[in-house]
Amino acid sequence: MPHESRLQRNLRELVERRRTAALAASSAEPADARSGALPAPQISMVPFAWCREFGCIVLHVSALAAHTQAMGSHPAVALLFSTPEVDGEGVHALERVSMQGVASTPPVDSVLYAAARAAYLQRFPEVEFMTELPNFRFVCITPTLGRHIAGFGSARDVSGNDFVAAMNFRPE
């Protein structure tokens, strides 16, 4: 019987309990083209699913959204998964994991697209109609490196492989 480490269990349970994550992407466009200011970062809350077959996080996003355009220009992204705040309790010890990754858009006729769509619709069957809209696409994020905060004073690095192993583990 395979063994699941405490880190793997914590990561898997944290991410599985969430249906949305904060997505950060870097825009290719300067914040102010006249001044040559730095590109404006894009952040958004996104629903996500996990694709076990390809070990990636699946998003379904509008091609018109600023974060989608940013991912198309700069595929390095980050996602933040966090436990929710509780009224009246401290927030500094909230469990969370920030995961860096590489975003890609699978071709519609690919095996990856079919797997991404199936994983997303398994989690969100009510949005099947949206997967047929021409200006929406699936984006697959391959985890590369992360940081898990289990609580105050408890932080550790997480490799992309650790994240995939945690998400793909199935307790018996």
Side-chain angles (χ1 to χ4, degrees):
M1 178 163 86
H3 172 72
E4 180 182 33
S5 72
R6 193 175 77 210
L7 170 62
Q8 287 177 322
R9 186 179 64 253
N10 288 351
L11 284 173
R12 182 178 48 77
E13 289 176 353
L14 170 65
V15 174
E16 286 180 345
R17 285 192 311 257
R18 308 280 32 104
R19 291 172 39 100
T20 61
L23 166 72
S26 295
S27 172
E29 299 300 318
D32 181 354
R34 293 182 306 270
S35 70
L38 295 174
Q42 301 295 323
I43 191 162
S44 183
M45 290 299 290
V46 291
F48 71 91
W50 178 252
C51 180
R52 290 186 62 169
E53 185 178 352
F54 287 94
C56 63
I57 299 158
V58 178
L59 310 179
H60 190 243
V61 293
S62 169
L64 305 175
H67 58 267
T68 304
Q69 294 173 21
M71 287 187 287
S73 298
H74 297 284
V77 298
L79 290 160
L80 175 66
F81 308 91
S82 178
T83 56
E85 295 180 31
V86 176
D87 286 343
E89 292 188 17
V91 295
H92 294 90
L94 289 176
E95 184 180 10
R96 57 204 178 270
V97 62
S98 58
M99 183 54 60
Q100 298 171 21
V102 178
S104 64
T105 302
V108 174
D109 58 350
S110 69
V111 174
L112 175 55
Y113 180 92
R117 184 177 189 274
Y120 197 83
L121 289 178
Q122 181 177 357
R123 191 156 204 209
F124 302 106
E126 69 278 7
V127 299
E128 183 173 11
F129 75 96
M130 289 177 62
T131 66
E132 304 300 326
L133 298 174
N135 67 334
F136 277 78
R137 63 188 57 164
F138 287 102
V139 172
C140 297
I141 299 174
T142 302
T144 56
L145 181 65
R147 186 84 173 150
H148 178 240
I149 311 297
F152 187 76
S154 177
R156 66 193 102 181
D157 292 331
V158 177
S159 73
N161 289 338
D162 287 340
F163 189 84
V164 171
M167 294 304 297
N168 282 347
F169 186 87
R170 288 295 166 244
E172 298 193 16

